[in-house]
Amino acid sequence: MKTLAFALLLATGAIAPVMADSSAAAPYVVKQHYVLGGAGGWDYLSIDPASRHLFIARDDRVMVADANSGKLIGEIPGMQHAHGVALVPTMHRGFVSNGHGDNVTTIDLDTLKSTGHIALSGKDPDAIIYDAVGGQLLTMNGHSNNISVIDPQAGKEVATIAVPGRPEFAVTDGNGHLFLNLEDKGELVRVDLKARKVLDVWALAPCEGPTGLAFDATNQRLFSVCDNNMMIVTDASNGHQVAKLPIGKGPDAVVFDAERHVVLSSNGDGTLTVVHQDSADKYSVLANVSTQKTARTLALDPSTHEVFLVAAHSADKGKPVDGFGVLVVAPH
């Protein structure tokens, strides 16, 4: 995951992006814009739909905002270049990947305080997810080309899984498999979590620099967003590429709203690409809805269908972050 406060990779691509749609017919609109302020870069954000707490990885801390009002509830300090927050409400715990600390910080979701750190052998833990079936945490380690497997109850790393490239975002299928993008190779990997080994490596060409990844469990489809302005749809059962779609520039995250049958890509050029799933293998780009430049990470509340993005007016390298805040985008 590329930290937003430093640079935007607005790559040119083989597919021309759809122009931003600001008309009344746009399928989604920016409903609210809350300014939170504060210094430092940012990366992933996560939402707890039950509490409506929005967790934002903000370099040396985690910001917690009220998704209803946009007010800052609190900040959890002690992070070391935080990348992401995996929420496990059943444990009343959250887990933060620290890229510069090579560890994971545990946080209490009730008190919003740090409760300790889990040391990792993997280097630069970036994306972090919770595998509910296996009851384990998984971090994608960008500088050691492997995955750390963590027992959250014991609070320790129990294994690592080597992968053939730099791992980016990942998803699980609920059946013991992990899928992840290899950003430097333009590939998609399927991992057997029980055997803790790579099963398949699938090419995503012509995708370059795949970052965000989302999953449709019903149709077994994976959605990878790429630096060269495209989304690749892959059959999760066999790696077959079923669709290729134009999206905005500089994507870093993507979500699938199963109830609305839409795929949403957040792009650093200030657009949210809305793709409709017509069928398992057919997709239509509805619009690139105007958001704000640098808004390239997002979280979806599946109950309200709201999409939360974070952005700043200025996030140039070497300069202070100006106007950092949250955008709430909702179906029109």
Side-chain angles (χ1 to χ4, degrees), residues 216-223 231-235 241-245 256-258 260-263 275-286:
D216 168 13
T218 300
N219 294 298
Q220 293 290 295
R221 293 295 181 264
L222 293 155
F223 308 97
M231 176 188 296
I232 301 295
V233 185
T234 304
D235 186 330
Q241 189 176 126
V242 300
K244 178 177 64 176
L245 299 135
F256 176 67
D257 188 329
R260 291 181 59 83
H261 299 283
V262 294
V263 194
V275 175
H276 185 263
Q277 183 184 59
D278 305 324
S279 68
D281 293 343
K282 185 179 178 183
Y283 299 83
S284 304
V285 177
L286 299 183

Side-chain angles (χ1 to χ4, degrees), residues 240-307:
H240 174 65
Q241 189 176 126
V242 300
K244 178 177 64 176
L245 299 135
I247 61 173
K249 293 181 179 180
D252 209 8
V254 61
V255 292
F256 176 67
D257 188 329
E259 188 174 323
R260 291 181 59 83
H261 299 283
V262 294
V263 194
L264 303 160
S265 170
S266 52
N267 313 309
D269 64 358
T271 60
L272 178 76
T273 303
V274 181
V275 175
H276 185 263
Q277 183 184 59
D278 305 324
S279 68
D281 293 343
K282 185 179 178 183
Y283 299 83
S284 304
V285 177
L286 299 183
N288 273 19
V289 178
S290 295
T291 55
Q292 183 179 329
K293 285 187 181 295
T294 77
R296 57 183 291 164
T297 52
L298 81 167
L300 168 73
D301 185 333
S303 58
T304 65
H305 308 288
E306 292 172 318
V307 180

Side-chain angles (χ1 to χ4, degrees), residues 177-192:
H177 297 114
L178 175 82
F179 299 89
L180 61 95
N181 288 327
L182 295 182
E183 187 177 15
D184 58 336
K185 300 291 184 65
E187 294 173 336
L188 182 63
V189 172
R190 177 164 62 172
V191 175
D192 183 327

Side-chain angles (χ1 to χ4, degrees), residues 27 41 50 55 86 89 123 131 141 159 161 168 178 213 262 279 282 303:
F55 296 80
K123 303 302 179 184
D131 169 33
N141 305 319
I161 305 169
E168 246 293 339
L178 175 82
L213 182 66
V262 294
S279 68
K282 185 179 178 183
S303 58

Side-chain angles (χ1 to χ4, degrees), residues 193-210:
L193 289 175
K194 186 174 182 180
R196 292 175 179 165
K197 68 175 184 180
V198 171
L199 293 178
D200 301 285
V201 180
W202 299 320
L204 287 172
C207 169
E208 296 174 5

